[in-house]
Amino acid sequence: MKVSWKTLLLWSLPIIVVSFFLWQGFLAPTTNELNTNVASSRMTYGRFLEYLDMGWVKRVDMYDNGHTAIVEAVGPELGNRIQKIRVELPASAPELINKLKKANVDIDAHPTKNTNAIWNLVGNLFFPLILIGGLALLFRRSNNATGGPGQAMSFGKSKALFQMEAKTGVVFDDVAGVDEAKEEFEEVVTFLKQPECFTAVGAKIPKGVLLVGPPGTGKTLLAKAIAGEANVPFFSISGSEFVEMFVGVGASRVRDLFKKAKENAPCIVFIDEIDAVGRQRGTGIGGGNDEREQTLNQLLTEMDGFEGNTGIIVIAATNRADILDSALLRPGRFDRQVSVDVPDFKGRLAILEVHARNKKMDPDVALSTIARRTPGFSGADLANLLNEAAILTARRRKQAVTLNEIDASIDRVVAGMEGTPLIDSKSKRLIAYHEIGHAIVGTLLQDHDPVQKVTLVPRGQARGLTWFTPSDDQTLISRAQILSRIMGALGGRAAEEVVFGNAEVTTGASNDLQQVTSMARQMVTRFGMSTIGPLSLESEESSPFLGRGMASGSEYSDEIAIKIDKQIQEIVSKCHDNALKIIEDNRVVIDRLVDLLIEKETIDGQEFREIISEYTPVPDKKQYTIW
Ligand code: ADP
Ligand code: MG
Ligand code: ZN
């Protein structure tokens, strides 16, 4: 028995509470009637007699051995409606009954005391019985789950937590932008469709395929597409559903799942979020978890258990293959790994084409424009984007989705809901200068992404926003690009300083500064872009389960640490100087742009560049370089 008393107590508490309510609700009707049936109003005995004299009393119900009465009365004082009023009667009022009789009032007595006693007795017996019954049930359940032979699966089975789809209806054409993964899976489909081809030459069919990739990149969709293409049933369960409060439940679910799968072979078994159970065992980080280990062991056993040709192929998905238990990745288990990544431009275009199929798009909408504007979007983001745009189109009562709705949806997906613009005030001017600062520094620097638009319409947390059109290839970024991004990010604060003075700068730049610091730090510690030299001093996310820096410990000496800090500071301060210089050099056009922005709320990139080019060439070949 592995259920601790603590858990039991925790569980029995709601049962106690529930049974008490049961008792209150169903077992004691009479007291209940008295308590709830009664109007909230009360009156004194004297008042009651007055009512009686006036002939307003219609009916009296006595409770509690004649100590309490519910009086039904009607009269002008009561709004001429029949009202129920509660009256406490004095202990001895024998003349009352006569009086009531004379006044021709309906009387009824409810012998509550006696029934109460009986019900109390029953209740007193029942209450502990329910409690004991509940506890016994709990014990039995947990016993079952730990796997006594014969009754082992009844609990896991009764809660069928895995889903089975006989036909997924998804085909490879529904999945786009992940061509390598698709190729790999076409082979799997052949395994399922024509196993003879492989077994004839003695080839063993793989049992497991691990899909690795960030959320929303189409892992579930791919797995479904395999089942759909091969025309086999699709069993799915999420790793987190294996992990339960009672030790052994997860393991019994695994057994149950595979039993069902074997009955339906050939089929696909899909385990989502396998990292929830498949994490490296025995590291002790985050506390040992008996339940998880048992579940994982059961999973490994099941995968070993079925011979290569039963026609079950297990597909598991995770976004972190590096934390999985190595036993899972051994040959004979998930020996194939297929990675799906956030799509590139071509991939995004293909995915957009898939999702635009069933939507009415305006002929002017070029999907490539959308694909260009959405670097970093996953397949799910893109699907969501087109759907938002379609919803917006319907709301605007238009016939087809235009670029207008798509733009609005992209902004919304990226930066959150649109707020109402600020009224004209000093802080609005300051925000305008801040945003124009970002935009002009970004525009004049040669290596910066071009401005797409500047806006004072708040969105999400931001009170103003400058949008840039990112270049296609975001995977390789040069030193000059990073530096110009740092300068661009500092442009907002720099404009505040130049225009409003040092004392007036605001907290609005805090997010910019975070980004600046992080970029500068990475230049020094990861990309070897400082005078310390080409050293990698920190790895990306060394351990997601420990706090940052805790796991990495000291990969470098204190001496280097001081140098790192100095370098970061130097990079940022030089970039800041440059940003200030750009603002000072272009003060005239900045003032003009700010006035325009306050008037129009939004300036788009093209217009922005045209205005600046009346004053300075864009980009400015003066080259605000550092080093
Ligand atoms: P994951 O399992 O990787 O988190 P899903 O497969 O659940 O992602 O994707 C969610 C939705 O996003 C899918 O139903 C589909 O509409 C869309 N989607 C994601 N990736 C793609 C893709 N490569 N091609 C087409 N649609 C995709
Ligand atoms: Mg998924
Ligand atoms: Zn800013």
Side-chain angles (χ1 to χ4, degrees):
M1 180 124 8
K2 293 209 170 139
V3 182
S4 72
W5 275 103
K6 232 164 129 189
T7 4
L8 259 182
L9 253 166
L10 253 168
W11 270 78
S12 52
L13 206 67
I15 291 189
I16 295 175
V17 174
V18 165
S19 40
F20 185 64
F21 277 123
L22 275 177
W23 150 239
Q24 280 280 309
F26 302 131
L27 302 184
T30 27
T31 20
N32 221 27
E33 197 186 342
L34 183 60
N35 288 332
T36 58
N37 183 16
V38 176
S40 46
S41 48
R42 288 160 174 269
M43 64 181 168
T44 59
Y45 183 56
R47 187 87 196 211
F48 167 57
L49 292 178
E50 273 173 38
Y51 271 43
L52 197 56
D53 289 342
M54 305 276 227
W56 290 355
V57 177
K58 298 291 165 222
R59 183 190 164 91
V60 175
D61 282 280
M62 306 265 203
Y63 292 92
D64 230 4
N65 267 358
H67 289 296
T68 314
I70 306 299
V71 175
E72 278 179 33
V74 67
E77 234 175 79
L78 300 169
N80 280 325
R81 279 189 306 119
I82 292 193
Q83 303 250 357
K84 287 188 176 180
I85 307 164
R86 183 176 177 141
V87 184
E88 303 295 334
L89 305 177
S92 55
E95 76 282 15
L96 179 65
I97 304 287
N98 288 333
K99 225 177 166 174
L100 286 171
K101 263 191 203 150
K102 240 189 265 164
N104 223 353
V105 175
D106 253 350
I107 322 170
D108 199 358
H110 302 262
T112 34
K113 236 211 172 136
N114 284 340
T115 15
N116 249 358
I118 294 166
W119 281 114
N120 268 338
L121 192 69
V122 173
N124 283 345
L125 281 174
F126 243 69
F127 181 56
L129 271 180
I130 290 176
L131 188 71
I132 291 165
L135 287 183
L137 204 77
L138 268 174
F139 268 106
R140 264 197 31 192
R141 282 188 157 191
S142 54
N143 266 346
N144 273 355
T146 42
Q151 46 173 349
M153 283 168 309
S154 50
F155 182 37
K157 204 185 229 160
S158 62
K159 284 178 106 186
L161 274 171
F162 57 83
Q163 279 99 44
M164 184 206 161
E165 288 177 49
K167 283 199 165 44
T168 60
V170 181
V171 290
F172 277 146
D173 272 351
D174 296 328
V175 194
V178 280
D179 294 335
E180 295 92 15
K182 256 160 83 176
E183 258 165 47
E184 189 95 16
F185 280 144
E186 254 147 41
E187 201 181 41
V188 176
V189 171
T190 328
F191 286 143
L192 285 166
K193 273 182 158 168
Q194 301 153 328
E196 328 73 69
C197 301
F198 298 90
T199 47
V201 294
K204 264 202 177 152
I205 290 170
K207 292 177 185 171
V209 183
L210 186 64
L211 268 170
V212 187
T217 45
K219 298 183 293 295
T220 310
L221 195 67
L222 260 171
K224 283 191 176 177
I226 297 172
E229 288 279 340
N231 212 357
V232 297
F234 180 77
F235 290 86
S236 65
I237 191 165
S238 167
S240 54
E241 278 167 295
F242 285 136
V243 185
E244 272 279 337
M245 165 126 40
F246 295 111
V247 173
V249 174
S252 88
R253 281 193 187 140
V254 172
R255 265 196 305 275
D256 195 22
L257 172 68
F258 277 89
K259 184 163 167 261
K260 267 272 145 47
K262 273 178 213 158
E263 287 166 10
N264 288 283
C267 66
I268 296 281
V269 171
F270 179 65
I271 303 174
D272 211 350
E273 300 173 53
I274 195 170
D275 39 310
V277 278
R279 201 177 291 160
Q280 192 72 38
R281 284 169 296 184
T283 50
I285 296 176
N289 186 339
D290 248 3
E291 160 66 354
R292 222 192 55 222
E293 289 197 5
Q294 277 203 21
T295 311
L296 178 56
N297 287 337
Q298 189 63 41
L299 185 63
L300 296 176
T301 316
E302 290 290 345
M303 290 197 71
D304 286 343
F306 58 84
E307 274 318 306
N309 305 330
T310 44
I312 303 175
I313 292 186
V314 185
I315 300 175
T318 177
N319 44 14
R320 313 221 26 178
D322 54 322
I323 61 165
L324 290 183
D325 197 294
S326 46
L328 266 178
L329 307 175
R330 231 189 46 194
R333 285 152 185 177
F334 294 102
D335 43 4
R336 294 196 172 203
Q337 280 197 31
V338 175
S339 69
V340 284
D341 223 328
V342 176
D344 57 4
F345 170 75
K346 256 178 60 195
R348 290 196 300 275
L349 185 57
I351 294 171
L352 285 169
E353 271 160 8
V354 167
H355 289 280
R357 262 192 237 148
N358 57 0
K359 300 199 171 54
K360 266 228 177 84
M361 308 293 282
D362 190 276
D364 284 346
V365 174
L367 292 179
S368 59
T369 321
I370 312 175
R372 195 157 291 123
R373 266 204 69 191
T374 48
F377 273 47
S378 70
D381 293 334
L382 291 170
N384 180 29
L385 167 67
L386 285 188
N387 192 46
E388 288 274 330
I391 291 174
L392 197 55
T393 308
R395 207 184 298 145
R396 292 179 179 175
R397 308 224 173 279
K398 287 192 185 174
Q399 296 305 313
V401 182
T402 70
L403 261 185
N404 197 320
E405 283 79 38
I406 286 170
D407 269 338
S409 307
I410 295 179
D411 290 0
R412 181 166 164 183
V413 172
V414 174
M417 292 274 281
E418 193 174 291
T420 40
L422 288 174
I423 46 157
D424 214 345
S425 63
K426 184 179 166 199
S427 79
K428 185 170 187 175
R429 278 200 96 68
L430 186 131
I431 296 167
Y433 271 105
H434 180 107
E435 294 308 327
I436 295 287
H438 283 307
I440 196 155
V441 173
T443 303
L444 292 180
L445 289 173
Q446 199 162 17
D447 298 295
H448 204 286
D449 296 329
V451 172
Q452 193 223 330
K453 69 179 174 200
V454 194
T455 175
L456 286 185
V457 181
R459 239 177 222 291
Q461 300 286 312
R463 304 223 272 153
L465 282 164
T466 307
W467 298 79
F468 296 96
T469 314
S471 57
D472 253 349
D473 189 5
Q474 293 284 329
T475 47
L476 284 180
I477 303 167
S478 69
R479 181 167 185 260
Q481 278 174 306
I482 304 183
L483 284 175
S484 54
R485 277 187 200 175
I486 294 179
M487 287 185 242
L490 287 168
R493 167 54 71 83
E496 287 181 43
E497 281 173 86
V498 171
V499 178
F500 296 86
N502 242 331
E504 299 284 311
V505 296
T506 65
T507 52
S510 72
N511 196 14
D512 297 336
L513 300 187
Q514 255 173 31
Q515 285 181 24
V516 164
T517 316
S518 143
M519 281 190 279
R521 175 163 207 89
Q522 294 192 49
M523 281 181 78
V524 180
T525 60
R526 287 181 55 204
F527 308 138
M529 291 177 177
S530 75
T531 52
I532 295 181
L535 290 176
S536 171
L537 299 164
E538 265 162 26
S539 43
E540 200 170 356
E541 279 170 87
S542 23
S543 174
F545 306 115
L546 297 177
R548 248 175 76 81
M550 211 171 125
S552 50
S554 45
E555 283 171 35
Y556 41 77
S557 65
D558 291 350
E559 207 180 320
I560 294 279
I562 294 172
K563 277 192 186 166
I564 292 176
D565 291 342
K566 273 214 177 109
Q567 283 289 310
I568 295 174
Q569 218 176 354
E570 196 176 334
I571 292 173
V572 174
S573 90
K574 280 185 175 168
C575 288
H576 183 216
D577 288 348
N578 265 339
L580 283 173
K581 187 155 171 15
I582 297 176
I583 303 286
E584 279 159 2
D585 288 354
N586 296 281
R587 183 61 199 272
V588 181
V589 65
I590 290 176
D591 287 343
R592 180 173 154 197
L593 286 165
V594 164
D595 287 338
L596 184 69
L597 183 61
I598 286 177
E599 183 198 320
K600 284 180 54 172
E601 303 283 349
T602 301
I603 307 178
D604 87 303
Q606 192 55 38
E607 186 181 3
F608 190 82
R609 276 182 290 277
E610 273 163 21
I611 294 176
I612 295 179
S613 60
E614 290 173 27
Y615 299 77
T616 325
V618 177
D620 198 346
K621 286 283 190 280
K622 219 181 294 165
Q623 279 290 322
Y624 297 88
T625 48
I626 70 174
W627 292 297

